[in-house]
Amino acid sequence: MPSSESSVGDLFAHLPAPRVRAQRGWRVARSRSGWPALLSGWIDNQAELAAELGLAGASVDAATLYAEAVERWGARADARIIGSYCAVTCLPDGRVRLARSPWGGKSLLYHDDGAALLVCSIARPLFAAGLEKRLRPGEIDALVSMRLPDDRAGLFEGIWQVPHGAVVTLSPGRAEIDRWYDPQALGPVRLRRDADYVEAANALLRDAVGHALGAAQNPAMTLSGGLDSSMVCAEALAQLAPGKRLKSFTFHPLAEWDGAVPAHKFGDDRPLVEQFARMHPGLDPQFVDNRGIAFDDRAAQVFAACDAGYPARVLGSLFHGIYDAAARAQCDWLLTAECGNLTFSNGAPWAAAEFFRSLRWSQLWQLLGAVPADPRPMWRRIAAQGLMPQLPARLRAAIRAAVHRGDQLADRYANPFLRADSRLGELRREAAIQRNIMTVDRDESRAAYIAENYHAMSLGGEVIHGYEQVFGIRLRDVTAYRPLIEFCLSVPTDQLVRDGESRWLARRMAQGRMPEAQRRNRLYGEHNADWHARLTPRLGELRREAERLADHPQLAEVIDIGALRAALDDWPATTPANPVLADRLRFHLPAVLYIGRFLDFETGRNPQ
């Protein structure tokens, strides 16, 4: 949209003003004074806001309500709004106000060169409007090194992202950024009794589920055998109208799976889900094995839909069979619980370090002693999880490199296929102190944990738009409800872990809602357990793809092609028990190939 001489608000002048009678077709939302606004997503506290703004009883859509809120409250409008959204508002003085809600608000990208302003949730319309498509070199490096990129820079030159929890106000040639939301400013929550925390968390979960169900006609639920999605599902079933049923969708391993899984995890959710379904007769569970679906399933369609190819999405294919099944069942909303581990099911990974610092030795001993399948002696566990997080990051990395020299654990989370002599080699060597998609859950402190998770949730939102286009469904993470996140990140650590019991808040909330074997299960789900069975039949194809990277214009100088060849040539006959090798083959190797495909798609390269 041009933004040179005239007011941006004038661009909407040709659109019809709001009338009492409904009109066919789309029209821009406006406040009562005429401020135009666009909004993607949803507002959860819409009724409360409408009452405050004098609109109670009126039929007001979210975008109109947002325009009214910005006109009334200005810079503090977003702080009063609860939801998951991005929004564009044209101000009377000609400036344009772009906003995203905190904790993963809908993506919002823009291009502003002083003469023209283009804004969209995905990049494709910006290119269709005439912007030249050029990948930003720094973002290519972030993809390959698997670091978490800057939350403002987009993947392409000339395109910027609005950070979540921020407002960007644009005038010709100038951008003012107000990061109004500070996740570190959350005050502590202290209640009188242990039971009060459970009651408060249940109330917030009840609100989150109620808002999600209120937007759906035929909702469905992604359901695992863990605590998170089961809790959301149980609450959804409790809120459904009498006689109404809820569909759930669960993926499980292929029949060819060799049954191998890390000792602290379980690989098949189906038995636990079936037990849960017997306890909840209003549930219609459906199971898919994702046969024919691997890390690159419909990659080209997703790239075309959203122009994004983040390496973490190689694991997102696990949900493709579920999306297909939900679409076939004509479900309009598919509910998830992806932020469960950030909220009521939080295992407080910082707890050991906190107990060590505060001299709570009994709690530290019980916590580390209860970790399933940890072969290390107790002194080693305390040193690794209690003492080490107290040290500076570089010193921790040096100690880890010295202790684990030879077993490759020191750089387990780095991309092992980076060339050590390339410009990215240093990032591989310093993986322990870099932001990395494999190391989001920081264990040194609650503040570090919050910072890393908040940063990660700002990124990659355009992929959700891509999935919704490709699969024809709408996705909603019920646990990404801002009041629930803020409450659970503010409660005392000993409400999350106590006396050796991990995820203590969730286990108390789950009483009576799921079978006891599931509620007390200490194992975590390994949702990609059958990766070896999926990839082994494709070794020839994977080798050919790896060879094509040898002369790749962006990757040849940073990817160690020899290491890729060796990994494929030495492919194990069964799922490897070594966690370092398993990570390299199930995630890092497919991720490199996925990045190569994405770069080829975006640059138009057609390798033979």
Side-chain angles (χ1 to χ4, degrees), residues 437-591:
I437 61 177
M438 298 283 282
T439 58
V440 168
D441 288 347
R442 291 297 185 96
D443 60 1
E444 59 261 40
S445 68
R446 186 195 299 253
Y449 174 88
I450 291 174
E452 291 297 292
N453 279 275
Y454 188 73
H455 180 81
M457 285 184 66
S458 185
L459 309 171
E462 63 268 39
V463 180
I464 303 301
H465 289 287
Y467 284 160
E468 291 180 335
Q469 293 175 71
V470 170
F471 294 97
I473 56 173
R474 298 194 70 182
L475 301 170
R476 177 161 178 161
D477 182 359
V478 177
T479 53
Y481 181 52
R482 178 175 144 200
L484 179 63
I485 293 175
E486 292 177 339
F487 173 81
C488 294
L489 290 178
S490 303
V491 302
T493 298
D494 66 4
Q495 289 298 321
L496 304 175
V497 294
R498 183 183 292 186
D499 298 337
E501 188 73 81
S502 65
R503 305 165 82 187
W504 192 50
L505 179 60
R507 296 189 199 281
R508 288 178 290 161
M509 293 170 65
Q511 286 182 337
R513 297 189 178 197
M514 63 185 67
E516 278 297 287
Q518 179 182 6
R519 187 179 77 88
R520 293 185 173 277
N521 186 15
R522 293 177 178 271
L523 303 181
Y524 282 79
E526 175 76 342
H527 299 314
N528 196 25
D530 60 351
W531 63 269
H532 185 269
R534 294 182 187 278
L535 294 181
T536 299
R538 299 182 58 189
L539 284 178
E541 177 188 350
L542 299 182
R543 286 192 182 95
R544 290 190 292 273
E545 286 201 38
E547 290 300 327
R548 284 196 288 266
L549 298 183
D551 61 352
H552 196 283
Q554 286 91 18
L555 298 182
E557 62 179 16
V558 294
I559 294 297
D560 188 339
I561 304 300
L564 278 176
R565 292 188 186 114
L568 291 166
D569 290 343
D570 298 334
W571 193 263
T574 59
T575 305
N578 183 317
V580 178
L581 178 59
D583 281 347
R584 292 187 174 193
L585 299 183
R586 75 181 181 94
F587 174 71
H588 286 111
L589 189 150

Side-chain angles (χ1 to χ4, degrees), residues 52-63:
E52 288 188 68
L53 293 167
L55 297 169
S59 178
V60 181
D61 61 85

